Amino acid sequence: MGRRRSDAITLRDVARLAGVSIATASKAINNRDEVAAATRARVLRAAAELSFRPNVLAQGLVAGRTRAIGLLTDELDGRFAIPILLGAENALSHQEMSVLLCDTRGDAIRRNHYIRTLLARQVDGFIIVGDSNDVHLSLTADIPVPVVYVYCRSTNPADLCLVSDDEGGALLAVEHLIALRRKHIAHITGPQSWRAARDRAAATCAVLHDHGLMLAGGQPLHGEWSQHWGRHATRLLMATTPEVDAIFCGNDQIASGAAQALADLGRRVPDDVAIVGYDNWEIFAADSKPPLTTVDLNLQQVGETAVRHLLAALDGTPASGVFRQPCRLVIRESTA
Amino acid sequence: MGRRRSDAITLRDVARLAGVSIATASKAINNRDEVAAATRARVLRAAAELSFRPNVLAQGLVAGRTRAIGLLTDELDGRFAIPILLGAENALSHQEMSVLLCDTRGDAIRRNHYIRTLLARQVDGFIIVGDSNDVHLSLTADIPVPVVYVYCRSTNPADLCLVSDDEGGALLAVEHLIALRRKHIAHITGPQSWRAARDRAAATCAVLHDHGLMLAGGQPLHGEWSQHWGRHATRLLMATTPEVDAIFCGNDQIASGAAQALADLGRRVPDDVAIVGYDNWEIFAADSKPPLTTVDLNLQQVGETAVRHLLAALDGTPASGVFRQPCRLVIRESTA
DNA sequence: CTGGAGATCGAAAACGATTTCGACAATGCG
DNA sequence: CGCATTGTCGAAATCGTTTTCGATCTCCAG
């Protein structure tokens, strides 16, 4: 089991083994000058031999050591969290700051556990990544460091939330298809229980209406976020509404499935039917056949923005409210 | 910038604001008994008001607080690291222990930075995830806590490394195909520069040879780890060696591409050509058309094993050497 | 009213570190 | 040789926190 109190190796032990005072040992280990090279070597050797590990102590505050932020994510497969992590790290590359990612599995108990753990380990702020779906109960009151919510809304309007501009993304996709003179645009997307799916579907209908068009098939096709649903829905769609000449899909997996189904049906992409995906999950979208035009969420920028807000809050100028991260259309062969 | 020394809020301030002694404040905040409910509430309110954050101190060692391990990964997209993380967390779910994931981008400087950061934050051990490709320079000497290497070998044979049993995985796949009476088995895989690709290719040839068979096409087809390469290689293969009745692919993306190309060529899967993938990347393999039989790396078990070794080392019984994690064949429709 | 028993709290010691400052020796320089 | 400078080191002060232990208060049975 855990080391008992007596096992803990303290600076005193190191100093004794090296034959120096505690003060000198401290200086040697912390790379301060005022200590001869030979002495330093002796101390370091003793520390290594004893597997000495400093007991943190004031380090965090007194000596202004390396700082860190915690990134808590509900999302299991890392598809969204990882790019956000990369963006956050990029934004911190000039600072001497680290990002620690923890997986909460959408479990409040686990999340609180990690928050305690990370606070005890002196993180200077949190980025909390939701599933873009339901609202997060505000944790800010319980956390003595700045918090930024990403891909979720907080129950407290004074919190800072960064969300994706779903309406804007749908607008980009649909207007792109309209610019290609497509008249019969369908929408296949994820479960209606997802807010993102609902918002994009509503925006899609609204944009079409603004251009005097109707959604092909009459209404959005809600299903799973999977290739399988993409294939299935596309077959249904083409059977009932064969005049469809474009499909806007709720994510790249659905889009990939749609492309496969169209190939099976002998429809050419993009000549007969154009396809637009969503998320720009590179490994999927760029490697599909044909490569997919898709809406990029700018996740790295989201990570960078979150960090910038966190740093601003640490400097005493916190922001609040809901910020929408604009999306970006990546054009590939599926509409080219 | 960072809070200056004078800004730091100490327990003394909290105690003063709450009108109690430092000792009582400490007890209240640490949920010890010996303190009346009303007093505790007053202290907590004061602490919240001042955004008090304890200065760690002895906490980590003295009071046996929550412990943590660091998981450092080179791998960008989280496909391997995340399941390992989940497995590690599962193994720790009974302990009060946390897993902190950091992204090193295969960069030694960044890795060292994170090691320092995490050591200063009192992690009790490290899991270092490589890219399964080249050897890792041993870090164990510089780290005063146990280290387990996963998916890489260390330069120091005394280190503990957990690697995937690539030969065993290839054996599972090929023998499965042979049991289905396939006689013309081809192998499409990733770049020859990847050790995993080379090892599996060699094992594939060896197993075929043991059964008196030859690799269809004469030699393994090395290319990228992409659907695109899977499609391209399959077209080449079927053009030059039309008698192929099974393809063992180096990962699920290649396998998915192969399935697409076979569909385009009018070959039925699995009736005409069976396909086996590798990695069991669920979102890809299970959602492909048809769903892919594939080799599962048991990544969660790897994570659990790594944690168990770490806990054993913390208890004073470290292991060393190279352990091979056996793989598992997941049978789906592409060979059913 | 008396005398415990138990709850509550604070003074002071302990703890594991860092930092200040004075002691001391070696060195340089005239 | 005398004297100042410089480099090294340790005793002691300091820091923020936890823990021990004795003092005080409340409550209630006798």
Side-chain angles (χ1 to χ4, degrees):
Chain A
M1 269 294 301
R3 47 184 65 100
R4 276 183 313 288
R5 170 61 159 283
S6 52
D7 322 6
I9 286 159
T10 139
L11 192 56
R12 183 195 318 280
D13 305 321
V14 177
R16 186 160 39 216
L17 180 59
V20 298
S21 75
I22 302 180
T24 304
S26 170
K27 285 180 255 189
I29 286 183
N30 289 56
N31 270 332
R32 309 196 76 78
D33 29 8
E34 281 198 28
V35 47
T39 313
R40 162 166 297 134
R42 219 166 59 238
V43 172
L44 290 180
R45 193 149 9 96
E49 189 169 335
L50 295 174
S51 299
F52 169 71
R53 200 146 57 102
N55 195 7
V56 175
L57 181 64
Q59 277 197 355
L61 287 176
V62 172
R65 283 314 159 87
T66 59
R67 295 158 50 173
I69 66 177
L71 197 155
L72 303 183
T73 174
D74 281 350
E75 184 237 349
L76 326 89
D77 52 29
R79 184 147 44 114
F80 296 101
I82 300 287
I84 292 173
L85 171 70
L86 293 178
E89 285 190 326
N90 287 343
L92 288 171
S93 59
H94 299 303
Q95 329 260 336
E96 267 274 307
M97 213 160 178
S98 309
V99 184
L100 277 35
L101 184 146
C102 294
D103 159 49
T104 62
R105 305 191 185 186
D107 174 354
I109 296 177
R110 193 178 283 267
R111 181 163 47 236
N112 286 333
H113 171 65
Y114 272 117
I115 288 173
R116 279 203 313 276
T117 297
L118 289 175
L119 281 176
R121 285 177 169 72
Q122 300 282 101
V123 299
D124 301 282
F126 283 98
I127 297 175
I128 296 186
V129 180
D131 61 2
S132 161
N133 205 5
D134 48 25
V135 286
H136 244 80
L137 184 145
S138 177
L139 304 160
T140 317
D142 305 327
I143 303 182
V145 297
V147 180
V148 175
Y149 297 83
V150 173
Y151 279 105
C152 53
R153 288 180 170 79
S154 162
T155 48
N156 181 351
D159 291 339
L160 174 62
C161 308
L162 303 181
V163 302
S164 182
D165 182 7
D166 285 306
E167 288 80 4
L171 181 81
L172 281 175
V174 176
E175 294 207 324
H176 174 61
L177 291 172
I178 291 176
L180 294 174
R181 313 208 175 289
R182 307 291 163 147
K183 303 293 183 194
H184 305 281
I185 301 173
H187 186 44
I188 304 176
T189 189
Q192 206 152 9
S193 59
W194 283 60
R195 191 201 44 73
R198 290 194 308 272
D199 286 358
R200 292 180 206 156
T204 299
C205 294
V207 175
L208 286 173
H209 184 264
D210 289 349
H211 286 80
L213 296 173
M214 292 279 292
L215 192 65
Q219 53 185 352
L221 297 171
H222 285 285
E224 299 170 355
W225 295 115
S226 68
Q227 289 186 74
H228 182 266
W229 165 243
R231 289 190 294 261
H232 183 65
T234 301
R235 279 193 300 267
L236 284 182
L237 182 70
M238 301 313 288
T240 60
T241 322
E243 70 272 22
V244 163
D245 56 10
I247 306 178
F248 171 35
C249 299
N251 75 358
D252 290 333
Q253 287 165 265
I254 293 175
S256 175
Q260 287 172 34
L262 288 172
D264 290 348
L265 292 170
R267 307 286 190 114
R268 291 167 304 169
V269 177
D271 309 74
D272 298 332
V273 182
I275 296 180
V276 177
Y278 212 100
D279 290 350
N280 192 23
W281 189 16
E282 290 263 355
I283 209 164
F284 227 101
D287 199 20
S288 199
K289 183 183 156 198
L292 298 171
T293 293
T294 186
V295 176
D296 189 300
L297 301 176
N298 287 324
L299 290 171
Q300 293 221 11
Q301 280 189 32
V302 171
E304 292 177 26
T305 306
V307 162
R308 262 198 295 280
H309 279 117
L310 226 40
L311 292 177
L314 284 171
D315 284 353
T317 57
S320 74
V322 175
F323 287 59
R324 296 184 169 276
Q325 172 70 40
C327 301
R328 178 170 56 96
L329 191 70
V330 177
I331 297 178
R332 298 200 183 90
E333 295 175 26
S334 74
T335 65
Chain B
M1 269 294 302
R3 47 184 64 98
R4 275 183 313 286
R5 169 63 157 281
S6 52
D7 320 6
I9 287 159
T10 139
L11 191 56
R12 183 196 318 279
D13 304 322
V14 177
R16 185 161 41 214
L17 180 60
V20 297
S21 74
I22 300 180
T24 304
S26 170
K27 284 180 258 194
I29 285 184
N30 290 55
N31 271 333
R32 310 196 74 78
D33 30 8
E34 283 199 26
V35 48
T39 313
R40 163 165 298 134
R42 218 168 58 241
V43 171
L44 291 181
R45 191 149 12 93
E49 189 169 335
L50 295 174
S51 299
F52 170 70
R53 200 146 57 103
N55 195 8
V56 175
L57 184 62
Q59 277 195 355
L61 286 177
V62 172
R65 282 318 160 83
T66 59
R67 295 158 49 173
I69 66 177
L71 196 154
L72 303 185
T73 175
D74 281 350
E75 184 236 352
L76 325 89
D77 52 28
R79 182 146 46 112
F80 295 100
I82 299 287
I84 292 174
L85 172 69
L86 293 178
E89 285 190 326
N90 287 344
L92 289 172
S93 59
H94 299 303
Q95 328 261 337
E96 268 270 313
M97 213 161 178
S98 309
V99 184
L100 277 36
L101 183 145
C102 295
D103 159 48
T104 62
R105 307 192 184 181
D107 174 353
I109 296 176
R110 195 178 282 265
R111 182 163 47 236
N112 287 333
H113 171 64
Y114 273 116
I115 289 174
R116 279 203 313 277
T117 297
L118 290 174
L119 281 175
R121 286 177 170 73
Q122 299 283 99
V123 299
D124 301 282
F126 283 98
I127 298 176
I128 296 187
V129 180
D131 60 2
S132 163
N133 205 6
D134 49 22
V135 286
H136 245 79
L137 182 147
S138 176
L139 304 160
T140 317
D142 306 327
I143 304 182
V145 297
V147 180
V148 175
Y149 297 82
V150 173
Y151 278 104
C152 54
R153 287 179 170 82
S154 161
T155 48
N156 182 351
D159 292 339
L160 174 62
C161 307
L162 303 181
V163 301
S164 182
D165 183 7
D166 286 305
E167 287 80 5
L171 181 81
L172 281 173
V174 175
E175 293 207 324
H176 175 60
L177 290 172
I178 290 176
L180 294 174
R181 312 210 177 286
R182 306 290 163 147
K183 303 295 183 194
H184 305 281
I185 302 173
H187 185 45
I188 304 176
T189 188
Q192 206 152 6
S193 58
W194 282 61
R195 191 199 47 71
R198 290 196 307 272
D199 287 357
R200 292 179 206 155
T204 300
C205 293
V207 176
L208 286 173
H209 184 263
D210 290 349
H211 286 79
L213 296 172
M214 291 280 291
L215 191 67
Q219 53 186 352
L221 297 171
H222 286 284
E224 300 170 356
W225 295 117
S226 70
Q227 289 187 74
H228 181 266
W229 165 241
R231 289 190 294 263
H232 183 64
T234 301
R235 279 195 299 268
L236 284 181
L237 182 70
M238 301 312 289
T240 60
T241 321
E243 70 271 21
V244 164
D245 56 9
I247 306 178
F248 171 35
C249 298
N251 75 357
D252 291 332
Q253 287 165 266
I254 293 175
S256 175
Q260 287 173 35
L262 289 171
D264 289 350
L265 293 170
R267 306 286 191 113
R268 291 167 305 169
V269 176
D271 309 75
D272 298 331
V273 182
I275 296 181
V276 176
Y278 212 100
D279 291 349
N280 192 24
W281 189 17
E282 290 262 356
I283 209 164
F284 227 102
D287 199 19
S288 200
K289 182 184 160 199
L292 298 171
T293 293
T294 186
V295 177
D296 191 300
L297 300 177
N298 287 324
L299 289 171
Q300 294 219 13
Q301 280 190 32
V302 171
E304 292 177 26
T305 307
V307 162
R308 263 200 295 280
H309 279 119
L310 226 40
L311 293 176
L314 284 172
D315 285 353
T317 58
S320 73
V322 175
F323 287 58
R324 297 184 167 277
Q325 172 70 40
C327 300
R328 180 170 55 97
L329 190 70
V330 177
I331 296 177
R332 298 201 182 89
E333 294 175 28
S334 73
T335 65

